[in-house]
Amino acid sequence: MKKFAIILAPMILILSGCGTEAPGTLEVNKSLQIDSSLESVWDYAGDFCAISVWHPAVETCEISEEDGATYRILTLGDGAQIKERHDGETATGYSYTIIEGPLPVKDYSSTFQAEGDAVSATINWSSTFMAEGATDDEAVGVITGVYDGGLSTIAEHFSQ
């Protein structure tokens, strides 16, 4: 019976999903502190389609509805498109999933959120994903570049 318990315990943990992310799951977490009110920062950057205003790679953003879900279609400067599903929101944050696009990732899930007060705000942009068609380092580099590009434009807007 003791052997059975030793074998069964790890199997229960595996089947219950306890523990860390799935093997191969990558993460990118970026934060930006801004000397402006949370309200101002969220008014500028917080709308689900505002990314076309503050991200240099995004030319346009179009919202669509399918089967009760909200999507945004991002058209990039080279004409490529990324389709993302809106997965939920808070007063100053939202989560989304990439459904399709040219980025070397799969199972990409992200949160874009701001927190702060009347004097300053911090934007936190984070994601988990797996590399697809690229090495882990390359995929992390692409997502890091996406985040850095967008956050730097937001920073520039509030430094003027």
Side-chain angles (χ1 to χ4, degrees):
M1 185 69 167
K2 189 173 184 179
K3 283 184 180 180
F4 180 73
I6 290 170
I7 294 170
L8 185 59
M11 290 180 71
I12 291 171
L13 286 174
I14 291 168
L15 294 174
S16 69
C18 294
T20 60
E21 297 287 340
T25 300
L26 306 169
E27 292 184 26
V28 172
N29 300 294
K30 290 286 188 169
S31 292
L32 170 66
Q33 199 279 324
I34 302 167
D35 292 329
S36 189
S37 72
L38 173 61
E39 182 178 359
S40 294
V41 169
W42 199 245
D43 283 349
Y44 176 70
D47 183 78
F48 190 50
C49 236
I51 192 168
S52 65
V53 172
W54 53 260
H55 202 289
V58 178
E59 293 291 319
T60 64
C61 177
E62 296 178 33
I63 297 289
S64 67
E65 301 285 329
E66 296 176 34
D67 300 323
T70 301
Y71 295 85
R72 67 182 178 191
I73 307 297
L74 307 177
T75 301
L76 307 180
D78 64 0
Q81 292 188 323
I82 302 172
K83 182 178 184 179
E84 299 174 335
R85 183 185 64 230
H86 186 273
D87 292 332
E89 64 184 57
T90 64
T92 58
Y94 59 83
S95 297
Y96 65 97
T97 300
I98 292 178
I99 303 303
E100 58 188 41
L103 302 179
V105 298
K106 67 178 182 175
D107 301 329
Y108 175 99
S109 180
S110 182
T111 300
F112 184 83
Q113 183 171 339
E115 53 190 29
D117 55 31
V119 178
S120 69
T122 301
I123 294 176
N124 298 300
W125 198 356
S126 61
S127 59
T128 59
F129 54 91
M130 297 179 76
E132 182 173 61
T135 67
D136 288 356
D137 288 344
E138 290 168 338
V140 166
V142 167
I143 299 303
T144 298
V146 168
Y147 289 11
D148 287 345
L151 293 175
S152 67
T153 302
I154 294 170
E156 287 172 21
H157 174 80
F158 285 97
S159 68
Q160 299 174 3

